């Protein structure tokens, strides 16, 4: 009879623990043990308190490197249909803003979502979630914002919760009803915000909301309207985050900082004042290179200013049908380096340590005893290869919550 105390133990691979402010926190020939979904040993194999087979019920011999599980802290994963036709229109000269103002963009996805029932949405969304998982993501943030009425926003959030149940990955839900103005409220944005703030307490009471977001931009909602949404969130004790400064400098980042925002996201037009406000509030800058690339933007976020101010930088896929239809967190690491000039270490931290912070999840993002057993084994010689290769997935195993979710080997 096996009297081992641990559920599992991986030995042999090098570990990128990321447990310091800089560097990979490398441990060569490491060992990683877990019990009940929590890491109980992280260190050199030589430091194990006994023989591996006596310590754990399952022992995995691994090569390459192990990193924390990737955290995709900004997605719009649950939706119906696609917007491939709009991709063609943009290539023919139409801008994202022109398409949105003509009734396309977000509203075209809203129509598809409203026409789909909950099971159909789940069926369309699960393969996308599995693709992110196979690329090393063990935690996903999933926003609503494609329903734009109570029943359909609720439907989106319910599907997000079901994805967690189906796949065993961590899911954080974000209420983004202030994403666009639905057609039934055309010309009445303030009345729509009245509805948004009315729905929020009801959805929160059902346990469907972990955080609140808004799209503060000239094609979406003003700072004053965004403030009303944030005031309601604050009264409910919910953290906020913001789509800010993507197409123009609206002052959204500074507004979000007033509410101690977990993060501000996109940030191509972020001003010096916005950087300073985020630094003071401790907000994370979530950069979205997939949207920058897909929309063929030319103004990059102020990475040097964010670094100088000590603002943590996270990276995410922004997976959505209109502006970032990527399903590869690894490609985002590469784009963060090639397009925004992050270092490979910064990029990896951006999708682990800092991405977890952007979701207020302090139990993951590093390989440290006491944290959630979320980690990925990679067939690489060094962690910098995760940003170097593109079009190749070196993932060997994905463990989320102490259970194997993907095994390639």
């Amino acid at each position: 009879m096996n009297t081992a105390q641990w559920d599992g133990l991986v030995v042999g691979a090098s570990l990128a623990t990321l447990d310091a402010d800089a560097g990979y926190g490398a441990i060569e020939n490491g060992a990683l043990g877990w019990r009940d979904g929590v890491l109980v040993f992280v260190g050199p194999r030589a430091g194990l308190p006994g023989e591996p087979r006596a310590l754990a019920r399952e022992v995995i011999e691994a090569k390459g490197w192990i990193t924390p599980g990737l955290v995709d802290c900004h997605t719009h994963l649950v939706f119906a249909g696609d917007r491939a036709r709009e991709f063609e229109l943009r290539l023919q000269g139409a801008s994202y803003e022109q398409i949105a103002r003509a009734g396309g963009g977000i509203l075209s996805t809203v129509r598809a979502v409203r026409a789909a029932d909950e099971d159909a949405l789940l069926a369309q969304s699960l393969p996308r979630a599995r693709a992110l998982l196979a690329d090393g993501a063990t935690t996903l943030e999933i926003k609503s914002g494609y329903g734009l009425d109570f029943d359909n926003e609720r439907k989106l959030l319910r599907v997000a919760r079901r994805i967690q149940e189906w796949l065993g990955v961590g899911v954080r839900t974000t209420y983004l009803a202030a994403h666009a103005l639905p057609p039934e409220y055309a010309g009445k944005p303030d009345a729509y915000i009245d509805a948004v703030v009315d729905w929020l307490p009801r959805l929160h009471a059902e346990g469907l909301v972990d955080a609140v977001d808004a799209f503060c931009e000239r094609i979406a909602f003003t700072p004053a309207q965004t403030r009303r949404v944030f005031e309601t969130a604050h009264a409910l004790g919910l953290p906020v985050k913001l789509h800010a400064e993507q197409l123009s400098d609206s002052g959204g980042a500074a507004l979000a900082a007033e509410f101690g925002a977990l993060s501000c996201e996109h940030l191509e037009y972020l001003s010096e004042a916005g950087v300073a406000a985020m630094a003071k509030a401790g907000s994370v800058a979530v950069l979205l290179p997939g949207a920058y690339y897909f929309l063929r933007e030319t103004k990059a976020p102020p990475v040097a200013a964010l670094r100088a101010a000590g603002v943590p930088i996270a990276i995410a896929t922004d997976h959505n049908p209109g502006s970032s239809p990527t399903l590869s967190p690894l490609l985002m690491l590469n784009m963060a380096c090639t397009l925004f000039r992050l270092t490979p270490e910064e990029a990896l931290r951006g999708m682990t340590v800092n991405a977890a912070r952007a979701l207020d999840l302090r139990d993951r993002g590093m390989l440290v005893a006491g944290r959630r057993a979320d980690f990925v084994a990679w067939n690489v010689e060094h962690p910098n290869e995760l940003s170097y290769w593109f079009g190749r997935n070196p993932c060997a195993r994905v463990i989320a919550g102490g259970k194997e979710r993907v095994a390639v080997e």
Side-chain angles (χ1 to χ4, degrees), residues 18 24 67-72 135-137 287-290 313-317 326 328-353 355 378 383-390 392 394:
L18 303 177
Y24 290 102
T67 71
L70 303 184
V71 177
D72 195 352
D135 227 45
L287 307 187
L288 306 171
I313 296 174
I315 305 298
T317 63
T326 181
S328 176
L330 288 175
L331 181 57
M332 297 305 97
L333 297 183
N334 175 272
M335 286 186 175
C337 295
T338 57
L339 300 178
F340 296 160
R341 298 297 186 263
L342 270 65
T343 68
E345 180 200 329
E346 285 178 319
L348 181 57
R349 285 181 175 276
M351 207 167 255
T352 52
V353 180
W378 308 95
N384 59 19
E385 292 183 45
L386 300 178
S387 296
Y388 167 72
W389 297 105
F390 61 99
R392 173 200 173 205

Side-chain angles (χ1 to χ4, degrees), residues 8-12 34 53 58-62 397 399 404 409:
L9 173 65
V10 178
V11 294
W34 66 94
R53 296 289 172 189
E58 179 184 14
V59 178
I60 300 170
E61 289 277 353
R397 295 176 185 272
I399 307 291
E404 190 157 58
E409 292 181 327

